[in-house]
Amino acid sequence: MSQLIISVGREFGSGGRVIAEALAERFGIPIYDRHLITEIAERTGLTPEEIEKYNENPKKKLISRRVRGYSNSIEDNIAEMQFNFLKEKSESGESFVVVGRCSETRLKNNPALVSLFILADPDAKIKRVMKVYELPEEDAREFIRKKDKKRKRYHNYHCSGHWGDSRLYDLCINSTRLGIDGTVDYLENYIRARMEHNY
């Protein structure tokens, strides 16, 4: 199989991570999401818990500064380590799925990239988060708001384009319309068609 890189951006509660995992399984390629944290931990000697604390967080502007191109921000440095790791993997010819990490922008020059964004209806997201995290409705609604705000800040800090802007992605899809399994089926067909078209 020629190289294939699937980038999955997602709204919290849309099922984006589950969809990404299913696509990785269907194409028989590794996925980098929480697994990426483990890889970075092994390279740096930090624990996965230490990296998770700063993962996908924008830097704290009041206490961060850059000197001669180097940042004293832990958040910035961990983000750059992840971006560099993904760049190395993409340049090596490896096929993989990556969830988030500004990958639709950071890897956009690789012709093997297929970039997706998963969204869902608000009620469907709330219902899913209530079930997965065992939260009451109002807590689920607030959890979604905070998580998406964090993702948006992180993405927009590290990229020129805006998180969720359809122009950044090859395909944006509402997982509510076909359900999780139906969305995976549709995306698999789209990706295979793209692969035939490109190669």
Side-chain angles (χ1 to χ4, degrees):
M1 181 178 76
S2 300
Q3 186 183 25
L4 171 64
I5 301 172
I6 305 172
S7 163
V8 181
R10 73 284 185 222
E11 292 181 342
F12 189 70
S14 66
R17 183 175 55 80
V18 174
I19 290 168
E21 289 172 347
L23 290 172
E25 185 175 334
R26 292 196 185 188
F27 286 94
I29 56 179
I31 182 170
Y32 295 118
D33 182 10
R34 293 187 175 91
H35 319 77
L36 187 58
I37 293 171
T38 304
E39 294 269 359
I40 299 298
E42 289 174 358
R43 290 185 176 205
T44 62
L46 296 170
T47 67
E49 292 74 24
E50 288 171 321
I51 291 175
E52 183 65 54
K53 180 179 177 183
Y54 299 102
N55 181 48
E56 289 197 302
N57 279 319
K59 71 178 182 180
K60 297 176 177 64
K61 293 181 180 179
L62 293 177
I63 60 174
S64 301
R65 63 192 184 100
R66 190 171 283 273
V67 178
R68 295 181 184 170
Y70 295 96
S71 174
N72 71 338
S73 162
I74 296 173
E75 294 89 350
D76 268 2
N77 291 328
I78 287 176
E80 286 302 322
M81 279 187 257
Q82 294 186 61
F83 299 151
N84 290 337
F85 175 86
L86 292 173
K87 183 181 178 185
E88 288 172 18
K89 290 290 184 183
S90 71
E91 291 176 349
S92 75
E94 180 182 327
S95 294
F96 57 91
V97 176
V98 56
V99 180
R101 274 72 184 187
C102 304
S103 50
E104 85 294 327
T105 301
R106 293 286 174 154
L107 303 178
K108 68 180 179 181
N109 293 326
N110 190 313
L113 178 70
V114 178
S115 56
L116 311 170
F117 190 84
I118 315 299
L119 58 144
D121 289 350
D123 289 347
K125 291 191 293 184
I126 291 168
K127 185 177 179 181
R128 181 176 183 83
V129 170
M130 287 173 66
K131 180 179 179 181
V132 172
Y133 295 93
E134 299 179 348
L135 293 173
E137 182 176 341
E138 282 308 309
D139 290 350
R141 190 188 306 276
E142 181 62 12
F143 195 24
I144 292 167
R145 187 192 69 78
K146 286 183 177 179
K147 292 290 277 189
D148 279 348
K149 181 179 179 181
K150 176 183 172 183
R151 288 176 181 172
K152 182 177 181 179
R153 285 179 60 216
Y154 175 85
H155 182 281
N156 294 353
Y157 172 75
H158 289 289
C159 303
S160 56
H162 293 286
W163 178 78
D165 184 336
S166 62
R167 289 168 292 188
L168 294 180
Y169 310 93
D170 296 319
L171 183 66
C172 297
I173 188 166
N174 185 327
S175 62
T176 310
R177 299 294 175 262
L178 299 176
I180 298 298
D181 292 340
T183 299
V184 174
D185 291 340
Y186 182 89
L187 292 174
E188 179 185 0
N189 290 334
Y190 172 79
I191 293 165
R192 292 195 186 281
R194 276 284 305 276
M195 292 171 72
E196 289 179 11
H197 180 76
N198 289 346
Y199 308 116

